């Protein structure tokens, strides 16, 4: 990055480089973490949904109740 900037004529110090990288890390990390969370929680959420639907107390049709 320094070499490319020097060709353009911009001087980059270590501090400014560190600040730029420090601001880029959360922008890159957020989508990665969101994707990991989605793909790890999705299978367990489906299992929980299936389990709750199989419970007798949650199945209103079996109890003979009607929702408005």
């Amino acid at each position: 990055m320094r070499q490319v900037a020097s060709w353009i004529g911009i001087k980059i110090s270590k501090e400014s480089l560190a600040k730029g990288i420090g601001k880029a890390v959360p922008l890159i990390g957020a989508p990665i973490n969101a994707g990991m969370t989605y793909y790890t929680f999705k299978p367990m959420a489906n299992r929980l949904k299936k389990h709750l639907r199989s419970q007798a107390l949650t199945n209103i049709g079996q109890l003979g109740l009607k929702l408005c």
Side-chain angles (χ1 to χ4, degrees):
M1 185 171 168
R2 276 186 175 181
Q3 193 172 14
V4 171
S6 66
W7 291 337
I8 299 172
I10 301 171
K11 291 188 178 181
I12 297 178
S13 67
K14 286 183 181 181
E15 290 177 13
S16 64
L17 183 65
K19 284 182 184 178
I21 291 173
K23 290 181 181 181
V25 167
L27 295 175
I28 295 169
I32 292 171
N33 288 331
M36 287 175 53
T37 301
Y38 176 78
Y39 286 114
T40 56
F41 274 74
K42 182 73 172 166
M44 294 307 290
N46 287 335
R47 286 181 65 191
L48 176 62
K49 184 169 62 172
K50 188 185 292 185
H51 174 74
L52 291 175
R53 283 188 177 164
S54 70
Q55 298 298 307
L57 294 176
T58 59
N59 195 346
I60 294 177
Q62 287 181 351
L63 298 176
L65 301 175
K66 293 183 181 179
L67 295 176
C68 296

